[in-house]
Amino acid sequence: MIQRWARERGAKPATIAGTERDGRAGVLTFNIPGYRESSRIREITWDQWFHTFDLRRLNLIYQEQMRDGRQSNFFRTESPDREDG
């Protein structure tokens, strides 16, 4: 499901440079052409992305379409273990 969503947008698995810990990816993101461009985005393999995703027990929240029907690139990762407040 995650790879399908990414593939439909031309997105590549990525991390934010400088957030790595203990030899694994830090903040997970996607490199989407024309969206969220930053010199800090470093592409990684799907194996590296999912290893970190599973290790940290993350969920991916994403949007398929905007209200007007156009394809949406919105996503965020969240941890069910995180306590806010």
Side-chain angles (χ1 to χ4, degrees):
M1 186 72 88
I2 292 172
Q3 286 179 297
R4 179 194 54 81
W5 181 90
R7 188 173 43 252
E8 289 173 354
R9 288 151 181 81
K12 306 285 188 201
T15 188
I16 305 297
T19 64
E20 299 89 351
R21 285 182 287 171
D22 301 323
R24 65 176 164 78
V27 175
L28 296 178
T29 190
F30 295 103
N31 187 9
I32 302 174
Y35 181 75
R36 298 185 91 179
E37 291 184 23
S38 168
S39 60
R40 293 187 62 207
I41 293 178
R42 184 175 63 82
E43 288 185 14
I44 58 177
T45 67
W46 277 114
D47 286 344
Q48 291 170 310
W49 197 93
F50 278 115
H51 175 74
T52 300
F53 186 83
D54 293 341
L55 192 65
R56 292 175 50 203
R57 300 183 41 193
L58 298 174
N59 294 317
L60 182 72
I61 309 300
Y62 62 90
Q63 182 180 28
E64 290 282 353
Q65 296 180 332
M66 292 186 261
R67 286 185 184 178
D68 64 8
R70 288 182 296 145
Q71 186 178 62
S72 174
N73 291 338
F74 172 80
F75 70 90
R76 75 170 191 256
T77 57
E78 69 174 22
S79 172
D81 299 328
R82 183 176 157 188
E83 292 182 27
D84 290 313

